């Protein structure tokens, strides 16, 4: 069975820059602020300035480094930066110069970044000042000269110059972007390479097209605007940039969707919960997108009172969130925390709940228009209605494939073009529920145990700040074991055995924590909130002296 949203929408055949800067649906006016440092919120970059910087940086990249001089989609520019207000202009400039923007995590090691530069291969690296050392070392390992490492500064003055100080953008030249309206070119364009989180193996470079980003912006934005109109309420759009801009969630949310909706993004250089809470109190952002560990802190941290009451609407993704956590976090906001579902390979979320709908709590929301989904068994046969299965997808935001990785492409797509998400879902009504990652399911005596379900139960306990469940071998089967981080002040208030009994009281017998509970200071997670289970398996192997 193929599941779809009954509504079909006509997506503009436009390149990303034209959508953001010229399309009539883009809400920001030329003098509207789009970006600022959270620490200096009054010093904003307006839409007109962003457009000028785009053209000026593009001219600099073309004439000093030859980006795009041999045609579109050939030259890769690698960006590694903490959050800063002019960072989006680097993406726009690379697209205007007809290069490919390759986003690298600011937490990358030298070897991580070297691998990514070589995979491009990157012709230029743009870094922030605080990760310049990593950028220089990786560039050297990859064979790039120092002049090809550029350092971007956004405050107090915007500056882009080579790490050796020899070459600097003087903002005198201007290169306009080529408008693209051909649907086939938009679909097959190579605009960005976004690397998967690599929680179970080496990161893969996901190719992102203009069509991917435009559809991922236009569809949810249109639904949201219609809903706010039905509600009869409008409000100034503002958000806090706290997620890594190298991940699809940050890149799409802050560089694309927020700009299209005319919102100002206040940038934090990196995430710190105390600063995060303080900035919400001071700046009063009206919406934000985040990940479950941050919503868990909002729900449970004793310092959180009414600092988030300016938030009309919030969205969570990147990892599963239980009904209980979604409800608890929503109580700290003015509006509701909605949960959506997607991957780097889908340019973000393929589901969405409009703000005038309140009956999707605990679910992943309904499908976006123009998206098709199947739920299949191990043999790619559609499962019976109401049964769980691996989700396969088609849609305008789904990637065409991976960069330089034909083996990954063969594994990720069926012969008739469906993308294998690796997530096991089930449908109830018009909304979807996450069972778990297919490869994370624990097989206990032939029965499947979903770690996400047990983690949701554990984190609903008032003494638990975070939890992760993995499988461990026992005799001839696999049993779940939980690693638990206790909430602040909860140490000594609950024992491992009590948590085992707590879970047992809420699940079927085959799902109970037969492997027990182990207390840990913090659950290892990626910058986007995904549990690093391979790290937990390695830890458990060391602790138990057994191979998982």
């Amino acid at each position: 069975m193929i599941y779809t949203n009954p509504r079909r929408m006509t997506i503009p055949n436009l390149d990303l820059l034209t959508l953001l800067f010229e399309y009539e649906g883009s809400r920001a006016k030329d003098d509207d602020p789009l970006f600022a440092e959270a620490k200096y919120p009054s010093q904003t970059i307006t839409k007109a300035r962003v457009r000028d910087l785009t053209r000026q940086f593009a001219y600099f990249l073309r004439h000093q480094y030859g980006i795009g001089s041999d045609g579109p989609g050939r030259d890769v520019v690698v960006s590694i930066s903490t959050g800063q207000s002019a960072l989006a202009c680097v993406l726009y400039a690379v697209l205007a110069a007809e290069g490919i923007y390759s986003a690298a995590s600011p937490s990358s090691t030298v070897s991580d970044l070297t691998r990514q530069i070589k995979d491009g291969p990157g012709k230029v690296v743009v870094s922030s000042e605080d990760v310049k050392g990593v950028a220089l070392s990786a560039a050297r390992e990859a064979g790039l000269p120092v002049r090809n490492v550029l350092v971007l500064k956004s405050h107090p003055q915007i500056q882009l110059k080579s790490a050796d100080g020899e070459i600097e953008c003087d903002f005198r030249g201007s290169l306009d972007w080529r408008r693209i309206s051909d649907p086939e070119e938009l679909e097959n364009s190579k605009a960005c390479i976004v690397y998967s989180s690599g929680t179970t193996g080496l990161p893969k470079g996901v190719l992102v097209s203009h069509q991917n980003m435009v559809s991922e912006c236009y569809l949810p934005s249109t639904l949201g605007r219609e809903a706010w109109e039905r509600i009869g309420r409008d409000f100034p759009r503002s958000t806090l940039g706290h997620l890594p801009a190298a991940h699809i969630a940050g890149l799409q949310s802050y560089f694309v969707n927020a700009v299209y909706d005319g919102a100002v993004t206040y940038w934090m250089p990196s995430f710190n919960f105390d600063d995060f809470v303080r900035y919400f109190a001071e700046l009063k952002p009206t919406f934000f997108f985040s990940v479950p560990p941050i919503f868990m802190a909002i729900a449970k941290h004793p310092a959180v009172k009414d600092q988030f009451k300016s938030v009309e609407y919030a969205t969570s993704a990147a990892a599963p969130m239980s009904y209980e956590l979604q409800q608890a976090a929503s109580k700290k906001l003015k509006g509701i925390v909605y949960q959506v579902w997607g991957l780097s390979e889908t340019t973000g979320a393929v589901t969405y709940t409009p703000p005038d709908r309140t009956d999707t709590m605990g679910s992943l929301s309904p499908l976006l228009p123009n998206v098709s989904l199947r739920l299949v068994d191990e043999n790619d046969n559609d499962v019976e209605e109401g049964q769980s299965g691996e989700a396969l997808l088609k849609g305008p935001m789904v990637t065409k494939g991976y960069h330089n990785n034909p083996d990954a492409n063969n594994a990720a797509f069926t012969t008739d073009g469906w993308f294998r998400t690796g997530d096991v879902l089930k449908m109830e009504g018009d909304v979807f529920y996450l069972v778990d990652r297919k490869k994370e399911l624990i097989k206990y005596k032939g029965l499947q145990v979903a770690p996400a379900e047990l983690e949701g139960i554990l984190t609903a306990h008032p003494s638990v700040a975070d939890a992760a469940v993995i499988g461990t071998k026992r005799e001839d089967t696999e049993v779940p074991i939980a690693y638990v981080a206790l909430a602040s002040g909860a140490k000594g208030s609950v024992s491992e055995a009590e948590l085992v009994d707590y879970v047992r009281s809420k699940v079927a017998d085959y799902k109970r924590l037969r492997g027990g509970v182990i207390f840990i200071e913090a659950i290892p997670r990626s910058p986007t909130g995904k549990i690093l289970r391979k790290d937990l398996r390695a830890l458990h192997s060391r602790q138990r002296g057994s191979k998982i």
Side-chain angles (χ1 to χ4, degrees), residues 127-158:
S127 84
S128 52
E129 182 67 37
D130 49 358
V131 293
K132 181 174 70 172
V134 173
L136 285 168
S137 296
R140 183 170 57 250
E141 291 289 325
L144 285 180
V146 175
R147 75 179 298 276
N148 285 46
V149 176
L150 300 174
V151 178
L152 174 72
K153 293 182 180 179
S154 299
H155 184 83
Q157 300 294 326
I158 296 172

Side-chain angles (χ1 to χ4, degrees), residues 33-37 43-45 50 85 88 92 254 259 264-265 267:
L34 292 181
F35 302 110
E37 306 292 317
Q43 299 176 33
T44 61
I45 308 176
V50 168
S85 54
Y92 307 149
Y254 305 139
V259 172
V264 56
T265 298
W267 282 95

Side-chain angles (χ1 to χ4, degrees), residues 300 457-465 485-490 493-494 499 502:
K300 294 192 172 189
I457 292 168
L458 283 164
T459 55
H461 191 285
S463 296
V464 175
L486 293 176
S488 176
S493 66
V494 65
L499 289 177
Y502 168 75

Side-chain angles (χ1 to χ4, degrees), residues 298-321:
I298 290 171
K300 294 192 172 189
H301 200 287
V304 177
K305 306 298 183 186
D306 60 353
Q307 298 95 327
F308 294 87
K309 287 299 182 180
S310 62
V311 178
E312 302 273 357
Y313 185 95
T315 307
S316 176
M321 182 163 65

